[in-house]
Amino acid sequence: MEFRSPEFKTRAVHALHDANLQKALSNTKAGFVVKRAQAAAEMPEFEALRDTAAEIKNHVLANLDHYLEKYEAAVTAAGGHVHYATDAEDARRIILGICKKANAKRITKGKSMVSEEMGLNEALIADGYEVVETDLGEYIIQLADEPPSHIIAPAIHKTKDQVADLFAAAHNKPRKTDRAELVAEAREVLREKYFTAEVGITGGNFLVAETGSSVIVTNEGNGDLTQTLAKVHIVTSGIERVIPTLDDLSVFLRILARSATGQETESYTTFSTGPRREGDIDGPEEYHVVLLDNGRSKMLGSRFQDMLRCIRCGACMNHCPVYGSIGGHAYGWVYPGPMGSVLTPLIKGMDGTYDLPNACTLNGRCKSVCPVRIPLPDLLREIRHNQFRQDMTPKRQKQALKLWRYVAERPKLYHFAERIGVRILASMANGKGKLRSLPFDPGWTGARDLPAPTGRTFLELWQAKRGDK
């Protein structure tokens, strides 16, 4: 996937004025939030489960080498193979080698953000393989030649009409506009691909050290067909996705769907443990797990270790006002939203990612809904501190911060400036209650109005209410 995070500001402005994108976002962003709140409220132990999940993850990260070795031993005992990839290039090399050995021509894929991180599709296609995404959202954006814009709903930025146009062009069939008919058409086209693919690649939501199982959760069943019908099954996952036992897994399964889509559980929770055994009626002949590091081990023991607790539910971006306004493509790489604004600088480096953590308003909604209680605002703030320490902050911004500090350390001057400021803004509104533009910072009002102050500061209003001088 092309790295375009340096273009964040330009892409964000474009997103704000993209009518189709804004329509798609408005149709979906409220649903995730409401459904998640309802699902959490209906489970009295939900908050306790969040605490338990965070504790399990912290324990695993403190003993990650032990659990990876235990997982590898269990996979090997079941007849599978575990491969460790230091970075994306190493992962691509390993997977291309497996596909070549299998004499593959067609490869089916379930949704896997780690494979996006690897740049896997591009590498496979460049090597002459036919790659077919089988998750409906991933299939849609593959037809559109676009990357995912959300980690659980990759085509969330597409409207129904846009999908209808893509299907009509790709399938050479009459254009349909009914959602059920569009789904049926995709199912018909994809079904033949499952039966003729030599290799099936899936992600791994969880890796169970106790049994050597990889676990995927889906709502379409495409993952089951991808990993069952192909001769070779390849699991792609990050090294941090291992958990100790099946009992631990049950904790995460109870919070994952509720946090992601507001469901009690996903439609399919699928366990894969090695290749087909004697007597099995189906399953792959070979089973491989490719575990990607790609900077994760550097986070261990650092201020950013908490980020490795992430279970990729998407709750943080569902509740993020910035993501809700600009969508995922503006972030310019695999992981959008709050979690991406932390992960992208840590994985890709600080160069070219300056704007991501600085776009955040630090409102804290992401932290309040994260199922494993990752303190995302704190991590974003820490990245900002690192940028400042590395002298990456623009000169104009530094000067503004120095001026603000000078004023803020002098209460009388601060309150005087505050009184002048609110009166000027109130007069600019001409009694309309809002400002259509700000001459000194037009970016704030480029896509929205700014509510105008009434003409008095909060402190003045509070003192008047109390009768203070």
Side-chain angles (χ1 to χ4, degrees), residues 415-431 433 451-461:
H415 292 304
F416 173 76
E418 189 179 28
R419 288 193 297 271
I420 296 297
V422 297
R423 284 162 174 77
I424 291 174
L425 291 174
S427 66
M428 290 173 60
N430 290 323
T454 61
R456 290 195 292 173
T457 68
F458 172 81
L459 184 60
E460 287 177 307
L461 292 170

mmCIF file of all heavy atoms in Angstrom, residues 415-431 433 451-461:
data_model
loop_
_atom_site.group_PDB
_atom_site.id
_atom_site.type_symbol
_atom_site.label_atom_id
_atom_site.label_comp_id
_atom_site.label_asym_id
_atom_site.label_seq_id
_atom_site.Cartn_x
_atom_site.Cartn_y
_atom_site.Cartn_z
ATOM 1 N N HIS A 415 -6.583 37.075 31.079
ATOM 2 C CA HIS A 415 -8.011 37.402 31.156
ATOM 3 C C HIS A 415 -8.342 38.671 30.366
ATOM 4 O O HIS A 415 -9.422 38.782 29.780
ATOM 5 C CB HIS A 415 -8.450 37.554 32.614
ATOM 6 C CG HIS A 415 -8.424 36.254 33.375
ATOM 7 N ND1 HIS A 415 -9.117 35.150 32.952
ATOM 8 C CD2 HIS A 415 -7.780 35.887 34.530
ATOM 9 C CE1 HIS A 415 -8.915 34.149 33.803
ATOM 10 N NE2 HIS A 415 -8.103 34.574 34.763
ATOM 11 N N PHE A 416 -7.394 39.615 30.330
ATOM 12 C CA PHE A 416 -7.599 40.817 29.525
ATOM 13 C C PHE A 416 -7.678 40.443 28.033
ATOM 14 O O PHE A 416 -8.593 40.891 27.308
ATOM 15 C CB PHE A 416 -6.462 41.819 29.765
ATOM 16 C CG PHE A 416 -6.520 43.014 28.854
ATOM 17 C CD1 PHE A 416 -7.447 44.030 29.070
ATOM 18 C CD2 PHE A 416 -5.661 43.121 27.771
ATOM 19 C CE1 PHE A 416 -7.506 45.126 28.224
ATOM 20 C CE2 PHE A 416 -5.715 44.210 26.914
ATOM 21 C CZ PHE A 416 -6.651 45.225 27.146
ATOM 22 N N ALA A 417 -6.721 39.636 27.573
ATOM 23 C CA ALA A 417 -6.717 39.206 26.171
ATOM 24 C C ALA A 417 -7.974 38.399 25.834
ATOM 25 O O ALA A 417 -8.545 38.516 24.742
ATOM 26 C CB ALA A 417 -5.463 38.378 25.881
ATOM 27 N N GLU A 418 -8.406 37.584 26.806
ATOM 28 C CA GLU A 418 -9.596 36.773 26.606
ATOM 29 C C GLU A 418 -10.834 37.658 26.426
ATOM 30 O O GLU A 418 -11.662 37.426 25.531
ATOM 31 C CB GLU A 418 -9.769 35.843 27.813
ATOM 32 C CG GLU A 418 -10.840 34.782 27.658
ATOM 33 C CD GLU A 418 -10.923 33.908 28.891
ATOM 34 O OE1 GLU A 418 -10.591 34.400 30.000
ATOM 35 O OE2 GLU A 418 -11.342 32.749 28.753
ATOM 36 N N ARG A 419 -10.951 38.688 27.264
ATOM 37 C CA ARG A 419 -12.103 39.585 27.164
ATOM 38 C C ARG A 419 -12.118 40.318 25.822
ATOM 39 O O ARG A 419 -13.166 40.465 25.191
ATOM 40 C CB ARG A 419 -12.090 40.595 28.323
ATOM 41 C CG ARG A 419 -12.429 39.976 29.678
ATOM 42 C CD ARG A 419 -12.711 41.046 30.718
ATOM 43 N NE ARG A 419 -11.553 41.891 30.984
ATOM 44 C CZ ARG A 419 -10.627 41.618 31.902
ATOM 45 N NH1 ARG A 419 -10.727 40.507 32.643
ATOM 46 N NH2 ARG A 419 -9.612 42.435 32.099
ATOM 47 N N ILE A 420 -10.955 40.778 25.395
ATOM 48 C CA ILE A 420 -10.866 41.463 24.104
ATOM 49 C C ILE A 420 -11.235 40.506 22.974
ATOM 50 O O ILE A 420 -11.996 40.859 22.057
ATOM 51 C CB ILE A 420 -9.449 42.025 23.881
ATOM 52 C CG1 ILE A 420 -9.129 43.099 24.944
ATOM 53 C CG2 ILE A 420 -9.317 42.597 22.471
ATOM 54 C CD1 ILE A 420 -10.035 44.300 24.876
ATOM 55 N N GLY A 421 -10.703 39.301 23.043
ATOM 56 C CA GLY A 421 -10.928 38.324 21.972
ATOM 57 C C GLY A 421 -12.384 37.959 21.776
ATOM 58 O O GLY A 421 -12.889 37.933 20.640
ATOM 59 N N VAL A 422 -13.088 37.670 22.875
ATOM 60 C CA VAL A 422 -14.486 37.242 22.724
ATOM 61 C C VAL A 422 -15.351 38.401 22.232
ATOM 62 O O VAL A 422 -16.336 38.187 21.506
ATOM 63 C CB VAL A 422 -15.054 36.667 24.042
ATOM 64 C CG1 VAL A 422 -14.293 35.423 24.459
ATOM 65 C CG2 VAL A 422 -15.052 37.691 25.157
ATOM 66 N N ARG A 423 -15.002 39.626 22.588
ATOM 67 C CA ARG A 423 -15.794 40.767 22.130
ATOM 68 C C ARG A 423 -15.581 41.008 20.629
ATOM 69 O O ARG A 423 -16.529 41.365 19.901
ATOM 70 C CB ARG A 423 -15.450 42.004 22.954
ATOM 71 C CG ARG A 423 -16.096 41.969 24.353
ATOM 72 C CD ARG A 423 -15.449 42.914 25.333
ATOM 73 N NE ARG A 423 -16.164 42.967 26.608
ATOM 74 C CZ ARG A 423 -16.091 42.026 27.558
ATOM 75 N NH1 ARG A 423 -15.333 40.934 27.342
ATOM 76 N NH2 ARG A 423 -16.774 42.150 28.682
ATOM 77 N N ILE A 424 -14.360 40.814 20.182
ATOM 78 C CA ILE A 424 -14.090 40.976 18.743
ATOM 79 C C ILE A 424 -14.843 39.907 17.945
ATOM 80 O O ILE A 424 -15.487 40.193 16.932
ATOM 81 C CB ILE A 424 -12.577 40.901 18.469
ATOM 82 C CG1 ILE A 424 -11.873 42.132 19.042
ATOM 83 C CG2 ILE A 424 -12.313 40.783 16.966
ATOM 84 C CD1 ILE A 424 -10.360 42.076 18.938
ATOM 85 N N LEU A 425 -14.767 38.654 18.408
ATOM 86 C CA LEU A 425 -15.456 37.566 17.703
ATOM 87 C C LEU A 425 -16.965 37.777 17.715
ATOM 88 O O LEU A 425 -17.651 37.502 16.722
ATOM 89 C CB LEU A 425 -15.091 36.222 18.335
ATOM 90 C CG LEU A 425 -13.650 35.748 18.134
ATOM 91 C CD1 LEU A 425 -13.389 34.477 18.925
ATOM 92 C CD2 LEU A 425 -13.357 35.508 16.663
ATOM 93 N N ALA A 426 -17.505 38.235 18.840
ATOM 94 C CA ALA A 426 -18.946 38.480 18.920
ATOM 95 C C ALA A 426 -19.370 39.574 17.944
ATOM 96 O O ALA A 426 -20.419 39.466 17.285
ATOM 97 C CB ALA A 426 -19.334 38.862 20.346
ATOM 98 N N SER A 427 -18.555 40.614 17.829
ATOM 99 C CA SER A 427 -18.899 41.702 16.907
ATOM 100 C C SER A 427 -18.809 41.241 15.454
ATOM 101 O O SER A 427 -19.583 41.690 14.600
ATOM 102 C CB SER A 427 -17.976 42.898 17.141
ATOM 103 O OG SER A 427 -16.634 42.586 16.790
ATOM 104 N N MET A 428 -17.857 40.328 15.163
ATOM 105 C CA MET A 428 -17.723 39.819 13.797
ATOM 106 C C MET A 428 -18.931 38.994 13.377
ATOM 107 O O MET A 428 -19.245 38.892 12.183
ATOM 108 C CB MET A 428 -16.448 38.969 13.688
ATOM 109 C CG MET A 428 -15.152 39.764 13.764
ATOM 110 S SD MET A 428 -13.694 38.686 13.826
ATOM 111 C CE MET A 428 -13.845 37.797 12.284
ATOM 112 N N ALA A 429 -19.647 38.405 14.344
ATOM 113 C CA ALA A 429 -20.801 37.569 14.023
ATOM 114 C C ALA A 429 -22.042 38.381 13.686
ATOM 115 O O ALA A 429 -23.012 37.845 13.122
ATOM 116 C CB ALA A 429 -21.100 36.627 15.186
ATOM 117 N N ASN A 430 -22.046 39.672 14.047
ATOM 118 C CA ASN A 430 -23.180 40.553 13.750
ATOM 119 C C ASN A 430 -24.512 39.989 14.252
ATOM 120 O O ASN A 430 -25.539 40.063 13.559
ATOM 121 C CB ASN A 430 -23.272 40.811 12.239
ATOM 122 C CG ASN A 430 -22.141 41.670 11.723
ATOM 123 O OD1 ASN A 430 -21.710 42.599 12.417
ATOM 124 N ND2 ASN A 430 -21.647 41.364 10.535
ATOM 125 N N GLY A 431 -24.486 39.371 15.418
ATOM 126 C CA GLY A 431 -25.709 38.862 16.013
ATOM 127 C C GLY A 431 -26.233 37.576 15.407
ATOM 128 O O GLY A 431 -27.308 37.100 15.786
ATOM 129 N N GLY A 433 -24.795 34.623 15.619
ATOM 130 C CA GLY A 433 -24.468 33.482 16.463
ATOM 131 C C GLY A 433 -23.428 32.551 15.896
ATOM 132 O O GLY A 433 -23.104 31.531 16.502
ATOM 133 N N PRO A 451 -19.270 28.516 16.070
ATOM 134 C CA PRO A 451 -20.207 29.219 16.967
ATOM 135 C C PRO A 451 -19.530 30.447 17.578
ATOM 136 O O PRO A 451 -18.415 30.367 18.071
ATOM 137 C CB PRO A 451 -20.520 28.168 18.031
ATOM 138 C CG PRO A 451 -20.239 26.852 17.378
ATOM 139 C CD PRO A 451 -19.083 27.111 16.452
ATOM 140 N N ALA A 452 -20.222 31.556 17.535
ATOM 141 C CA ALA A 452 -19.645 32.812 18.027
ATOM 142 C C ALA A 452 -19.912 32.965 19.518
ATOM 143 O O ALA A 452 -20.969 32.568 20.011
ATOM 144 C CB ALA A 452 -20.250 33.988 17.280
ATOM 145 N N PRO A 453 -18.960 33.538 20.270
ATOM 146 C CA PRO A 453 -19.208 33.806 21.694
ATOM 147 C C PRO A 453 -20.257 34.908 21.860
ATOM 148 O O PRO A 453 -20.524 35.677 20.927
ATOM 149 C CB PRO A 453 -17.839 34.247 22.214
ATOM 150 C CG PRO A 453 -17.117 34.750 21.009
ATOM 151 C CD PRO A 453 -17.608 33.932 19.847
ATOM 152 N N THR A 454 -20.817 34.981 23.047
ATOM 153 C CA THR A 454 -21.892 35.949 23.297
ATOM 154 C C THR A 454 -21.376 37.359 23.511
ATOM 155 O O THR A 454 -22.148 38.316 23.448
ATOM 156 C CB THR A 454 -22.696 35.529 24.541
ATOM 157 O OG1 THR A 454 -21.820 35.515 25.675
ATOM 158 C CG2 THR A 454 -23.317 34.160 24.346
ATOM 159 N N GLY A 455 -20.093 37.482 23.794
ATOM 160 C CA GLY A 455 -19.528 38.806 24.050
ATOM 161 C C GLY A 455 -18.912 38.926 25.428
ATOM 162 O O GLY A 455 -18.247 39.919 25.733
ATOM 163 N N ARG A 456 -19.126 37.911 26.277
ATOM 164 C CA ARG A 456 -18.498 37.871 27.584
ATOM 165 C C ARG A 456 -17.836 36.514 27.788
ATOM 166 O O ARG A 456 -18.306 35.492 27.285
ATOM 167 C CB ARG A 456 -19.518 38.130 28.699
ATOM 168 C CG ARG A 456 -20.024 39.572 28.747
ATOM 169 C CD ARG A 456 -20.734 39.887 30.058
ATOM 170 N NE ARG A 456 -22.000 39.160 30.169
ATOM 171 C CZ ARG A 456 -22.746 39.147 31.270
ATOM 172 N NH1 ARG A 456 -22.328 39.801 32.370
ATOM 173 N NH2 ARG A 456 -23.893 38.496 31.297
ATOM 174 N N THR A 457 -16.758 36.507 28.550
ATOM 175 C CA THR A 457 -16.047 35.263 28.800
ATOM 176 C C THR A 457 -16.822 34.413 29.806
ATOM 177 O O THR A 457 -17.728 34.892 30.509
ATOM 178 C CB THR A 457 -14.647 35.540 29.366
ATOM 179 O OG1 THR A 457 -14.782 36.098 30.688
ATOM 180 C CG2 THR A 457 -13.862 36.487 28.482
ATOM 181 N N PHE A 458 -16.432 33.128 29.883
ATOM 182 C CA PHE A 458 -17.066 32.230 30.849
ATOM 183 C C PHE A 458 -16.870 32.755 32.270
ATOM 184 O O PHE A 458 -17.789 32.722 33.095
ATOM 185 C CB PHE A 458 -16.470 30.827 30.726
ATOM 186 C CG PHE A 458 -16.927 29.889 31.805
ATOM 187 C CD1 PHE A 458 -18.154 29.259 31.722
ATOM 188 C CD2 PHE A 458 -16.138 29.659 32.935
ATOM 189 C CE1 PHE A 458 -18.587 28.403 32.725
ATOM 190 C CE2 PHE A 458 -16.566 28.813 33.939
ATOM 191 C CZ PHE A 458 -17.792 28.181 33.830
ATOM 192 N N LEU A 459 -15.659 33.229 32.559
ATOM 193 C CA LEU A 459 -15.374 33.722 33.904
ATOM 194 C C LEU A 459 -16.274 34.915 34.253
ATOM 195 O O LEU A 459 -16.784 35.016 35.377
ATOM 196 C CB LEU A 459 -13.906 34.117 34.028
ATOM 197 C CG LEU A 459 -13.433 34.565 35.413
ATOM 198 C CD1 LEU A 459 -13.640 33.461 36.441
ATOM 199 C CD2 LEU A 459 -11.964 34.977 35.381
ATOM 200 N N GLU A 460 -16.472 35.815 33.288
ATOM 201 C CA GLU A 460 -17.349 36.954 33.531
ATOM 202 C C GLU A 460 -18.778 36.499 33.793
ATOM 203 O O GLU A 460 -19.454 37.012 34.701
ATOM 204 C CB GLU A 460 -17.322 37.891 32.319
ATOM 205 C CG GLU A 460 -16.021 38.684 32.182
ATOM 206 C CD GLU A 460 -16.005 39.545 30.943
ATOM 207 O OE1 GLU A 460 -16.250 39.018 29.832
ATOM 208 O OE2 GLU A 460 -15.747 40.749 31.069
ATOM 209 N N LEU A 461 -19.255 35.545 33.013
ATOM 210 C CA LEU A 461 -20.616 35.040 33.196
ATOM 211 C C LEU A 461 -20.763 34.343 34.544
ATOM 212 O O LEU A 461 -21.772 34.485 35.242
ATOM 213 C CB LEU A 461 -20.965 34.075 32.053
ATOM 214 C CG LEU A 461 -21.092 34.704 30.665
ATOM 215 C CD1 LEU A 461 -21.191 33.618 29.603
ATOM 216 C CD2 LEU A 461 -22.297 35.625 30.591
#
